[in-house]
Amino acid sequence: MRIIIVGGGIGGLALAAGLRRQGFDAAVLEKDIDPAVTGGYHITLDGPAQSALRELVEPEIFERVLASASALRLREPDVFWDRRGRLLGHGPDLSDDPSVDIDRITLRLLLAEAAGDSLHLGRTVSRVGRTEEGRPEATLDDGSSTAGDLLVGADGVHSLVARHLAGAPTSRPAGIVGFSGRTSAHDLSPGEQVRLGPRSGLAIGPRGAALYVGFLDPAGNAVLDAPGLRASVTTGPTYIWGAMFPESSRTSLLRGETGAALRDALLARYRQQGWSEPSLEVIARAEENSVAAFRFNAASTRARDLAPWPAGPMTALGDAVHATPPTAGMGAGVAIRDAAGLVSHLCDVRSATTTLSVAVSRFEAEMRLRGGVMLTLAMKTVRLILATDTRLGAAVTGAALPALAAVRRIRH
Ligand SMILES: Cc1cc2nc3c(=O)[nH]c(=O)nc-3n(C[C@H](O)[C@H](O)[C@H](O)COP(=O)(O)OP(=O)(O)OC[C@H]3O[C@@H](n4cnc5c(N)ncnc54)[C@H](O)[C@@H]3O)c2cc1C
């Protein structure tokens, strides 16, 4: 069975690795010319995502993932702050949390290695369709085409394959624009190093402004303490932050900026909205070239709306089907679980226990459920942030958050 995979991001490469490991003939067509030259910050892999990855890649690659990842169980519980950096509360104890965080670039490079010669870089698919014999086919922008028995769209949030199958885009803007960057902990003042600490946090202010600060330390907080296997591009304690604002003409202007200009514009926007200087230090001291804008896209939270096409020899997985804002930190993990699910059902086809269309149908049914759960979770935070952008929400956030912070100070 020949499987064509359009897109070599996290889901496509995970699928290729698993198919290769099981002896299938797979080809990934990826438009990037180098897997290392890509954007992205850190990716969270929860327990089920790690189990899926363990099935897909060789043990040696899995060990390198763990040696390059930062463990949540070694962190302090997450925190919530108001816009002045005052503590509002803590998240749950993480000591039993199996989740790990890894640089997106590191994960993609390790998966590319696992995919081996099935990965074809610099190949942009411009069209998908069927051959005269009805086989699924991808046409590249150089005019060449390739056909298989199954074609899988792993081509991300603006998927060409899923749009072809669904007859319309499978996700839409979620109403929030994000701006991200990286800041080395060593570049922060001693006071901020202590306040942020070895943990992640979320600050929420009125008018839909929020700031997520994630802690990543694959060297000091390594899941597997094996420096010889470490491949992480992050080498010291680092904060990956994400500024969030409701989408508007003002965020459209911000999206036109990059680097230092974008950083300064973000700082100006937060200051206008009454955020304190210490709570903005993580942005002010970011690595200049790391600051970038991205728009949150989301598919429907209803499982039955996902992959709305009849099962056949063309399907899709990951963001192509269930694009999600990063607010649940599950997009990559669920794409990896999709890949493991598809490999397992294709093994049933090879052993003749089922047909291809039944296998794809079962895979899609499971993917809809996984995607629906993740989207529901991710959209809860999006709705909370958007709720502070109403008149009532702004008033409640402005009055209630300082009160909560004061109560906490009295209690401690
Ligand atoms: C640049 C980038 C940065 C990201 N940063 C983060 C992050 O910091 N944190 C986080 O949690 N998530 C991040 N994500 C999202 C996260 O990686 C995805 O949610 C998750 O990996 C889902 O994987 P996927 O394989 O479905 O999609 P993706 O990982 O997005 O992969 C899709 C791939 O398809 C390729 N592609 C698209 N169209 C075509 C075409 N026509 N022909 C050939 N190839 C095509 C793209 O180049 C891309 O490599 C990022 C995604 C991207 C693309």
Tab-separated table of all heavy atoms in Angstrom, residues 40-101:
chain	number	residue	atom	x	y	z
A	40	GLY	N	8.001	28.592	15.517
A	40	GLY	CA	7.479	27.765	16.596
A	40	GLY	C	8.280	27.894	17.866
A	40	GLY	O	9.451	28.230	17.838
A	41	TYR	N	7.617	27.603	18.945
A	41	TYR	CA	8.220	27.739	20.268
A	41	TYR	C	8.178	26.362	20.921
A	41	TYR	O	8.776	25.439	20.411
A	41	TYR	CB	7.478	28.827	21.044
A	41	TYR	CG	7.534	30.143	20.301
A	41	TYR	CD1	6.528	30.523	19.427
A	41	TYR	CD2	8.646	30.970	20.439
A	41	TYR	CE1	6.599	31.711	18.716
A	41	TYR	CE2	8.727	32.164	19.734
A	41	TYR	CZ	7.701	32.527	18.875
A	41	TYR	OH	7.783	33.691	18.172
A	42	HIS	N	7.452	26.224	22.023
A	42	HIS	CA	7.455	24.888	22.617
A	42	HIS	C	6.125	24.171	22.388
A	42	HIS	O	5.091	24.788	22.182
A	42	HIS	CB	7.824	24.918	24.094
A	42	HIS	CG	6.805	25.578	24.971
A	42	HIS	ND1	6.225	26.767	24.679
A	42	HIS	CD2	6.286	25.192	26.152
A	42	HIS	CE1	5.395	27.096	25.641
A	42	HIS	NE2	5.401	26.163	26.547
A	43	ILE	N	6.246	22.871	22.412
A	43	ILE	CA	5.114	21.974	22.165
A	43	ILE	C	4.949	21.138	23.426
A	43	ILE	O	5.931	20.638	23.960
A	43	ILE	CB	5.471	21.029	20.995
A	43	ILE	CG1	5.604	21.783	19.665
A	43	ILE	CG2	4.555	19.844	20.910
A	43	ILE	CD1	4.342	22.100	18.974
A	44	THR	N	3.711	20.994	23.883
A	44	THR	CA	3.470	20.146	25.049
A	44	THR	C	2.986	18.775	24.582
A	44	THR	O	2.129	18.681	23.709
A	44	THR	CB	2.383	20.788	25.952
A	44	THR	OG1	2.839	22.094	26.316
A	44	THR	CG2	2.145	19.967	27.214
A	45	LEU	N	3.573	17.748	25.162
A	45	LEU	CA	3.115	16.386	24.870
A	45	LEU	C	2.609	15.779	26.174
A	45	LEU	O	3.386	15.582	27.123
A	45	LEU	CB	4.270	15.537	24.324
A	45	LEU	CG	4.935	16.041	23.034
A	45	LEU	CD1	6.111	15.146	22.659
A	45	LEU	CD2	3.922	16.101	21.888
A	46	ASP	N	1.311	15.499	26.249
A	46	ASP	CA	0.767	14.899	27.468
A	46	ASP	C	1.006	13.380	27.437
A	46	ASP	O	1.632	12.856	26.493
A	46	ASP	CB	-0.721	15.278	27.639
A	46	ASP	CG	-1.583	14.774	26.484
A	46	ASP	OD1	-1.088	13.993	25.650
A	46	ASP	OD2	-2.767	15.170	26.410
A	47	GLY	N	0.506	12.680	28.445
A	47	GLY	CA	0.754	11.237	28.537
A	47	GLY	C	0.302	10.474	27.296
A	47	GLY	O	1.096	9.728	26.691
A	48	PRO	N	-0.971	10.657	26.845
A	48	PRO	CA	-1.419	9.918	25.655
A	48	PRO	C	-0.589	10.250	24.405
A	48	PRO	O	-0.325	9.377	23.574
A	48	PRO	CB	-2.878	10.376	25.486
A	48	PRO	CG	-3.308	10.790	26.859
A	48	PRO	CD	-2.089	11.353	27.531
A	49	ALA	N	-0.152	11.506	24.284
A	49	ALA	CA	0.667	11.876	23.110
A	49	ALA	C	2.012	11.162	23.163
A	49	ALA	O	2.528	10.685	22.136
A	49	ALA	CB	0.873	13.395	23.076
A	50	GLN	N	2.573	11.029	24.370
A	50	GLN	CA	3.859	10.321	24.488
A	50	GLN	C	3.697	8.832	24.192
A	50	GLN	O	4.554	8.226	23.546
A	50	GLN	CB	4.430	10.518	25.889
A	50	GLN	CG	4.936	11.937	26.127
A	50	GLN	CD	5.279	12.145	27.594
A	50	GLN	OE1	6.115	11.458	28.145
A	50	GLN	NE2	4.609	13.096	28.227
A	51	SER	N	2.572	8.252	24.653
A	51	SER	CA	2.344	6.823	24.350
A	51	SER	C	2.247	6.624	22.845
A	51	SER	O	2.787	5.654	22.289
A	51	SER	CB	1.043	6.325	24.991
A	51	SER	OG	1.084	6.546	26.352
A	52	ALA	N	1.547	7.555	22.167
A	52	ALA	CA	1.402	7.452	20.712
A	52	ALA	C	2.773	7.576	20.034
A	52	ALA	O	3.109	6.807	19.130
A	52	ALA	CB	0.453	8.538	20.212
A	53	LEU	N	3.561	8.529	20.523
A	53	LEU	CA	4.880	8.744	19.915
A	53	LEU	C	5.772	7.518	20.109
A	53	LEU	O	6.522	7.129	19.208
A	53	LEU	CB	5.524	9.986	20.563
A	53	LEU	CG	6.762	10.533	19.891
A	53	LEU	CD1	6.461	10.925	18.449
A	53	LEU	CD2	7.277	11.744	20.662
A	54	ARG	N	5.663	6.905	21.275
A	54	ARG	CA	6.460	5.707	21.563
A	54	ARG	C	6.144	4.581	20.570
A	54	ARG	O	7.012	3.804	20.191
A	54	ARG	CB	6.151	5.255	22.990
A	54	ARG	CG	7.154	4.305	23.589
A	54	ARG	CD	6.598	3.774	24.897
A	54	ARG	NE	6.744	4.692	26.009
A	54	ARG	CZ	7.812	4.765	26.785
A	54	ARG	NH1	8.840	3.973	26.554
A	54	ARG	NH2	7.870	5.598	27.793
A	55	GLU	N	4.853	4.523	20.134
A	55	GLU	CA	4.469	3.508	19.141
A	55	GLU	C	5.025	3.840	17.758
A	55	GLU	O	5.328	2.962	16.968
A	55	GLU	CB	2.935	3.461	18.979
A	55	GLU	CG	2.195	2.789	20.095
A	55	GLU	CD	0.693	3.013	19.939
A	55	GLU	OE1	0.197	3.156	18.804
A	55	GLU	OE2	0.015	3.070	20.985
A	56	LEU	N	5.149	5.147	17.486
A	56	LEU	CA	5.462	5.560	16.115
A	56	LEU	C	6.957	5.540	15.789
A	56	LEU	O	7.340	5.249	14.661
A	56	LEU	CB	4.920	6.984	15.875
A	56	LEU	CG	3.397	7.116	15.858
A	56	LEU	CD1	2.965	8.571	16.008
A	56	LEU	CD2	2.825	6.524	14.572
A	57	VAL	N	7.784	5.920	16.765
A	57	VAL	CA	9.218	6.066	16.452
A	57	VAL	C	10.040	4.977	17.131
A	57	VAL	O	9.595	4.356	18.102
A	57	VAL	CB	9.754	7.465	16.867
A	57	VAL	CG1	8.991	8.566	16.160
A	57	VAL	CG2	9.696	7.676	18.381
A	58	GLU	N	11.243	4.771	16.643
A	58	GLU	CA	12.152	3.794	17.243
A	58	GLU	C	12.497	4.236	18.668
A	58	GLU	O	12.550	5.440	18.942
A	58	GLU	CB	13.446	3.708	16.415
A	58	GLU	CG	13.268	3.229	14.979
A	58	GLU	CD	12.830	1.765	14.908
A	58	GLU	OE1	13.004	1.038	15.894
A	58	GLU	OE2	12.295	1.374	13.848
A	59	PRO	N	12.780	3.283	19.571
A	59	PRO	CA	13.083	3.636	20.967
A	59	PRO	C	14.198	4.681	21.102
A	59	PRO	O	14.146	5.547	21.965
A	59	PRO	CB	13.511	2.301	21.580
A	59	PRO	CG	12.857	1.260	20.736
A	59	PRO	CD	12.744	1.827	19.355
A	60	GLU	N	15.182	4.624	20.222
A	60	GLU	CA	16.308	5.560	20.341
A	60	GLU	C	15.847	7.008	20.110
A	60	GLU	O	16.258	7.931	20.813
A	60	GLU	CB	17.381	5.161	19.312
A	60	GLU	CG	18.682	5.895	19.488
A	60	GLU	CD	19.096	6.659	18.252
A	60	GLU	OE1	18.739	6.237	17.138
A	60	GLU	OE2	19.773	7.710	18.426
A	61	ILE	N	14.940	7.194	19.139
A	61	ILE	CA	14.428	8.544	18.866
A	61	ILE	C	13.573	9.002	20.047
A	61	ILE	O	13.648	10.146	20.492
A	61	ILE	CB	13.571	8.566	17.569
A	61	ILE	CG1	14.423	8.185	16.359
A	61	ILE	CG2	12.851	9.903	17.377
A	61	ILE	CD1	15.129	9.304	15.660
A	62	PHE	N	12.779	8.077	20.595
A	62	PHE	CA	11.918	8.448	21.725
A	62	PHE	C	12.772	8.889	22.913
A	62	PHE	O	12.465	9.874	23.586
A	62	PHE	CB	11.016	7.265	22.102
A	62	PHE	CG	9.961	7.649	23.108
A	62	PHE	CD1	8.910	8.475	22.738
A	62	PHE	CD2	10.045	7.224	24.420
A	62	PHE	CE1	7.953	8.873	23.666
A	62	PHE	CE2	9.083	7.610	25.353
A	62	PHE	CZ	8.047	8.436	24.976
A	63	GLU	N	13.864	8.181	23.148
A	63	GLU	CA	14.765	8.572	24.250
A	63	GLU	C	15.342	9.959	24.011
A	63	GLU	O	15.493	10.755	24.937
A	63	GLU	CB	15.926	7.578	24.353
A	63	GLU	CG	15.554	6.315	25.066
A	63	GLU	CD	16.757	5.656	25.727
A	63	GLU	OE1	17.881	5.859	25.237
A	63	GLU	OE2	16.553	4.940	26.714
A	64	ARG	N	15.658	10.256	22.750
A	64	ARG	CA	16.215	11.584	22.447
A	64	ARG	C	15.165	12.676	22.649
A	64	ARG	O	15.493	13.798	23.030
A	64	ARG	CB	16.811	11.599	21.041
A	64	ARG	CG	18.163	10.867	21.053
A	64	ARG	CD	18.666	10.546	19.683
A	64	ARG	NE	18.972	11.731	18.909
A	64	ARG	CZ	19.091	11.729	17.594
A	64	ARG	NH1	18.920	10.617	16.908
A	64	ARG	NH2	19.379	12.826	16.961
A	65	VAL	N	13.910	12.348	22.376
A	65	VAL	CA	12.832	13.315	22.657
A	65	VAL	C	12.807	13.606	24.158
A	65	VAL	O	12.807	14.757	24.592
A	65	VAL	CB	11.456	12.777	22.179
A	65	VAL	CG1	10.317	13.618	22.726
A	65	VAL	CG2	11.395	12.731	20.642
A	66	LEU	N	12.818	12.545	24.971
A	66	LEU	CA	12.738	12.738	26.426
A	66	LEU	C	13.971	13.469	26.963
A	66	LEU	O	13.873	14.284	27.886
A	66	LEU	CB	12.578	11.397	27.138
A	66	LEU	CG	11.285	10.631	26.840
A	66	LEU	CD1	11.191	9.385	27.712
A	66	LEU	CD2	10.042	11.501	27.045
A	67	ALA	N	15.139	13.182	26.385
A	67	ALA	CA	16.368	13.844	26.852
A	67	ALA	C	16.406	15.308	26.419
A	67	ALA	O	17.207	16.090	26.939
A	67	ALA	CB	17.587	13.106	26.304
A	68	SER	N	15.529	15.693	25.481
A	68	SER	CA	15.511	17.073	24.958
A	68	SER	C	14.307	17.848	25.461
A	68	SER	O	14.050	18.961	25.013
A	68	SER	CB	15.453	17.039	23.420
A	68	SER	OG	16.408	16.157	22.910
A	69	ALA	N	13.549	17.224	26.369
A	69	ALA	CA	12.299	17.844	26.813
A	69	ALA	C	12.369	18.210	28.285
A	69	ALA	O	13.121	17.629	29.059
A	69	ALA	CB	11.139	16.871	26.570
A	70	SER	N	11.542	19.185	28.637
A	70	SER	CA	11.485	19.721	29.994
A	70	SER	C	10.239	19.107	30.660
A	70	SER	O	9.174	19.037	30.059
A	70	SER	CB	11.360	21.225	29.783
A	70	SER	OG	11.192	21.976	30.884
A	71	ALA	N	10.400	18.626	31.930
A	71	ALA	CA	9.303	17.891	32.579
A	71	ALA	C	8.407	18.809	33.394
A	71	ALA	O	8.898	19.580	34.211
A	71	ALA	CB	9.878	16.814	33.489
A	72	LEU	N	7.109	18.695	33.192
A	72	LEU	CA	6.180	19.497	34.002
A	72	LEU	C	6.235	19.068	35.468
A	72	LEU	O	6.099	19.894	36.361
A	72	LEU	CB	4.741	19.341	33.481
A	72	LEU	CG	4.253	20.463	32.574
A	72	LEU	CD1	5.058	20.521	31.304
A	72	LEU	CD2	2.784	20.324	32.262
A	73	ARG	N	6.485	17.764	35.715
A	73	ARG	CA	6.476	17.288	37.105
A	73	ARG	C	7.603	17.921	37.925
A	73	ARG	O	7.570	17.889	39.149
A	73	ARG	CB	6.541	15.760	37.144
A	73	ARG	CG	7.865	15.189	36.723
A	73	ARG	CD	7.881	13.675	36.656
A	73	ARG	NE	8.724	13.225	35.574
A	73	ARG	CZ	10.045	13.186	35.623
A	73	ARG	NH1	10.684	13.551	36.700
A	73	ARG	NH2	10.743	12.778	34.570
A	74	LEU	N	8.623	18.478	37.262
A	74	LEU	CA	9.730	19.102	37.988
A	74	LEU	C	9.484	20.595	38.198
A	74	LEU	O	10.332	21.312	38.712
A	74	LEU	CB	11.052	18.903	37.222
A	74	LEU	CG	11.461	17.439	37.012
A	74	LEU	CD1	12.739	17.355	36.180
A	74	LEU	CD2	11.670	16.750	38.358
A	75	ARG	N	8.309	21.082	37.748
A	75	ARG	CA	8.013	22.514	37.881
A	75	ARG	C	7.128	22.792	39.083
A	75	ARG	O	6.448	21.901	39.583
A	75	ARG	CB	7.229	22.971	36.637
A	75	ARG	CG	8.064	23.186	35.452
A	75	ARG	CD	7.324	23.762	34.291
A	75	ARG	NE	5.886	23.965	34.378
A	75	ARG	CZ	5.113	24.124	33.327
A	75	ARG	NH1	5.639	24.094	32.134
A	75	ARG	NH2	3.822	24.318	33.453
A	76	GLU	N	7.109	24.043	39.479
A	76	GLU	CA	6.125	24.455	40.486
A	76	GLU	C	4.762	24.599	39.792
A	76	GLU	O	4.708	24.789	38.583
A	76	GLU	CB	6.550	25.796	41.091
A	76	GLU	CG	7.771	25.636	41.987
A	76	GLU	CD	8.317	26.957	42.475
A	76	GLU	OE1	7.617	27.990	42.381
A	76	GLU	OE2	9.471	26.951	42.927
A	77	PRO	N	3.661	24.550	40.578
A	77	PRO	CA	2.334	24.692	39.940
A	77	PRO	C	2.215	26.004	39.161
A	77	PRO	O	2.846	27.005	39.522
A	77	PRO	CB	1.373	24.692	41.139
A	77	PRO	CG	2.112	24.039	42.243
A	77	PRO	CD	3.563	24.323	42.022
A	78	ASP	N	1.413	25.981	38.118
A	78	ASP	CA	1.170	27.196	37.323
A	78	ASP	C	0.532	28.267	38.208
A	78	ASP	O	-0.084	27.951	39.227
A	78	ASP	CB	0.200	26.884	36.171
A	78	ASP	CG	0.804	25.913	35.175
A	78	ASP	OD1	1.994	25.583	35.305
A	78	ASP	OD2	0.076	25.465	34.271
A	79	VAL	N	0.673	29.520	37.762
A	79	VAL	CA	0.094	30.614	38.561
A	79	VAL	C	-0.782	31.516	37.688
A	79	VAL	O	-0.649	31.535	36.460
A	79	VAL	CB	1.181	31.515	39.204
A	79	VAL	CG1	1.777	30.874	40.427
A	79	VAL	CG2	2.236	31.895	38.210
A	80	PHE	N	-1.650	32.263	38.367
A	80	PHE	CA	-2.479	33.266	37.689
A	80	PHE	C	-2.197	34.610	38.338
A	80	PHE	O	-2.118	34.703	39.565
A	80	PHE	CB	-3.971	32.911	37.819
A	80	PHE	CG	-4.277	31.584	37.201
A	80	PHE	CD1	-4.324	30.429	37.979
A	80	PHE	CD2	-4.457	31.464	35.830
A	80	PHE	CE1	-4.551	29.190	37.406
A	80	PHE	CE2	-4.690	30.230	35.251
A	80	PHE	CZ	-4.739	29.093	36.036
A	81	TRP	N	-2.006	35.624	37.498
A	81	TRP	CA	-1.713	36.960	37.998
A	81	TRP	C	-2.737	37.950	37.437
A	81	TRP	O	-3.384	37.690	36.419
A	81	TRP	CB	-0.345	37.458	37.507
A	81	TRP	CG	0.844	36.676	37.929
A	81	TRP	CD1	1.395	36.609	39.166
A	81	TRP	CD2	1.705	35.894	37.082
A	81	TRP	NE1	2.533	35.820	39.151
A	81	TRP	CE2	2.743	35.370	37.889
A	81	TRP	CE3	1.698	35.572	35.723
A	81	TRP	CZ2	3.759	34.563	37.382
A	81	TRP	CZ3	2.701	34.773	35.217
A	81	TRP	CH2	3.719	34.272	36.046
A	82	ASP	N	-2.814	39.134	38.066
A	82	ASP	CA	-3.547	40.219	37.417
A	82	ASP	C	-2.542	41.031	36.596
A	82	ASP	O	-1.351	40.685	36.520
A	82	ASP	CB	-4.328	41.065	38.443
A	82	ASP	CG	-3.427	41.907	39.336
A	82	ASP	OD1	-2.192	41.873	39.140
A	82	ASP	OD2	-3.958	42.597	40.216
A	83	ARG	N	-3.002	42.130	36.013
A	83	ARG	CA	-2.125	42.871	35.088
A	83	ARG	C	-0.987	43.595	35.809
A	83	ARG	O	-0.096	44.150	35.182
A	83	ARG	CB	-2.935	43.846	34.241
A	83	ARG	CG	-3.524	44.971	35.064
A	83	ARG	CD	-4.429	45.848	34.278
A	83	ARG	NE	-5.470	46.345	35.158
A	83	ARG	CZ	-6.162	47.439	34.937
A	83	ARG	NH1	-5.945	48.137	33.848
A	83	ARG	NH2	-7.073	47.829	35.779
A	84	ARG	N	-1.045	43.649	37.133
A	84	ARG	CA	0.061	44.266	37.878
A	84	ARG	C	0.994	43.212	38.460
A	84	ARG	O	1.820	43.503	39.305
A	84	ARG	CB	-0.488	45.142	38.994
A	84	ARG	CG	-1.428	46.202	38.465
A	84	ARG	CD	-1.527	47.386	39.390
A	84	ARG	NE	-2.612	48.263	38.999
A	84	ARG	CZ	-2.565	49.095	37.967
A	84	ARG	NH1	-1.496	49.160	37.234
A	84	ARG	NH2	-3.599	49.849	37.655
A	85	GLY	N	0.818	41.972	38.040
A	85	GLY	CA	1.710	40.909	38.493
A	85	GLY	C	1.355	40.389	39.874
A	85	GLY	O	2.129	39.640	40.475
A	86	ARG	N	0.171	40.771	40.384
A	86	ARG	CA	-0.233	40.282	41.706
A	86	ARG	C	-0.830	38.889	41.569
A	86	ARG	O	-1.610	38.633	40.650
A	86	ARG	CB	-1.251	41.239	42.343
A	86	ARG	CG	-0.617	42.570	42.697
A	86	ARG	CD	-1.631	43.552	43.190
A	86	ARG	NE	-2.641	43.870	42.182
A	86	ARG	CZ	-3.422	44.960	42.211
A	86	ARG	NH1	-3.302	45.818	43.198
A	86	ARG	NH2	-4.312	45.176	41.257
A	87	LEU	N	-0.430	38.034	42.526
A	87	LEU	CA	-0.837	36.634	42.458
A	87	LEU	C	-2.323	36.475	42.747
A	87	LEU	O	-2.826	36.975	43.744
A	87	LEU	CB	-0.024	35.864	43.511
A	87	LEU	CG	-0.117	34.350	43.477
A	87	LEU	CD1	0.391	33.810	42.147
A	87	LEU	CD2	0.699	33.767	44.628
A	88	LEU	N	-3.025	35.777	41.849
A	88	LEU	CA	-4.460	35.530	42.057
A	88	LEU	C	-4.727	34.106	42.516
A	88	LEU	O	-5.706	33.832	43.188
A	88	LEU	CB	-5.221	35.756	40.751
A	88	LEU	CG	-5.146	37.156	40.154
A	88	LEU	CD1	-5.825	37.165	38.798
A	88	LEU	CD2	-5.804	38.159	41.083
A	89	GLY	N	-3.874	33.197	42.105
A	89	GLY	CA	-4.113	31.806	42.484
A	89	GLY	C	-3.141	30.875	41.788
A	89	GLY	O	-2.322	31.309	40.964
A	90	HIS	N	-3.237	29.605	42.159
A	90	HIS	CA	-2.343	28.593	41.586
A	90	HIS	C	-3.142	27.554	40.803
A	90	HIS	O	-4.296	27.283	41.134
A	90	HIS	CB	-1.616	27.849	42.716
A	90	HIS	CG	-0.511	28.650	43.317
A	90	HIS	ND1	-0.621	29.264	44.530
A	90	HIS	CD2	0.725	28.946	42.861
A	90	HIS	CE1	0.495	29.910	44.808
A	90	HIS	NE2	1.331	29.732	43.809
A	91	GLY	N	-2.488	26.936	39.859
A	91	GLY	CA	-3.054	25.788	39.170
A	91	GLY	C	-2.807	24.552	40.031
A	91	GLY	O	-2.251	24.650	41.128
A	92	PRO	N	-3.182	23.374	39.521
A	92	PRO	CA	-3.017	22.147	40.311
A	92	PRO	C	-1.551	21.755	40.501
A	92	PRO	O	-0.675	22.201	39.746
A	92	PRO	CB	-3.763	21.100	39.482
A	92	PRO	CG	-3.901	21.678	38.125
A	92	PRO	CD	-3.818	23.156	38.231
A	93	ASP	N	-1.332	20.903	41.490
A	93	ASP	CA	-0.007	20.334	41.739
A	93	ASP	C	0.417	19.525	40.500
A	93	ASP	O	-0.383	18.776	39.953
A	93	ASP	CB	-0.149	19.412	42.969
A	93	ASP	CG	1.131	18.663	43.257
A	93	ASP	OD1	2.205	19.204	42.957
A	93	ASP	OD2	1.048	17.524	43.770
A	94	LEU	N	1.657	19.701	40.074
A	94	LEU	CA	2.087	19.041	38.830
A	94	LEU	C	2.939	17.791	39.080
A	94	LEU	O	3.428	17.195	38.125
A	94	LEU	CB	2.893	20.038	37.980
A	94	LEU	CG	2.135	21.251	37.456
A	94	LEU	CD1	3.088	22.217	36.767
A	94	LEU	CD2	1.036	20.842	36.491
A	95	SER	N	3.123	17.442	40.356
A	95	SER	CA	4.121	16.390	40.619
A	95	SER	C	3.766	15.047	39.971
A	95	SER	O	4.654	14.238	39.725
A	95	SER	CB	4.367	16.227	42.119
A	95	SER	OG	3.141	16.083	42.775
A	96	ASP	N	2.477	14.834	39.664
A	96	ASP	CA	2.113	13.577	38.991
A	96	ASP	C	1.846	13.783	37.504
A	96	ASP	O	1.409	12.864	36.824
A	96	ASP	CB	0.818	12.999	39.611
A	96	ASP	CG	1.083	12.450	40.994
A	96	ASP	OD1	2.236	12.062	41.242
A	96	ASP	OD2	0.142	12.451	41.816
A	97	ASP	N	2.067	15.019	37.026
A	97	ASP	CA	1.739	15.301	35.616
A	97	ASP	C	2.833	14.740	34.701
A	97	ASP	O	3.992	15.128	34.803
A	97	ASP	CB	1.606	16.822	35.415
A	97	ASP	CG	0.939	17.155	34.100
A	97	ASP	OD1	1.267	16.503	33.085
A	97	ASP	OD2	0.096	18.070	34.064
A	98	PRO	N	2.467	13.814	33.810
A	98	PRO	CA	3.496	13.217	32.954
A	98	PRO	C	3.882	14.085	31.745
A	98	PRO	O	4.771	13.721	30.977
A	98	PRO	CB	2.827	11.928	32.475
A	98	PRO	CG	1.368	12.264	32.444
A	98	PRO	CD	1.127	13.265	33.537
A	99	SER	N	3.204	15.244	31.559
A	99	SER	CA	3.435	16.036	30.344
A	99	SER	C	4.867	16.556	30.262
A	99	SER	O	5.514	16.792	31.279
A	99	SER	CB	2.496	17.244	30.302
A	99	SER	OG	1.161	16.820	30.331
A	100	VAL	N	5.314	16.740	29.027
A	100	VAL	CA	6.652	17.292	28.793
A	100	VAL	C	6.522	18.426	27.770
A	100	VAL	O	5.582	18.460	26.986
A	100	VAL	CB	7.628	16.213	28.267
A	100	VAL	CG1	7.646	15.011	29.188
A	100	VAL	CG2	7.302	15.779	26.849
A	101	ASP	N	7.482	19.345	27.815
A	101	ASP	CA	7.536	20.437	26.837
A	101	ASP	C	8.814	20.304	26.031
A	101	ASP	O	9.875	20.055	26.601
A	101	ASP	CB	7.586	21.792	27.561
A	101	ASP	CG	6.220	22.248	28.031
A	101	ASP	OD1	5.223	21.808	27.444
A	101	ASP	OD2	6.165	23.040	28.978
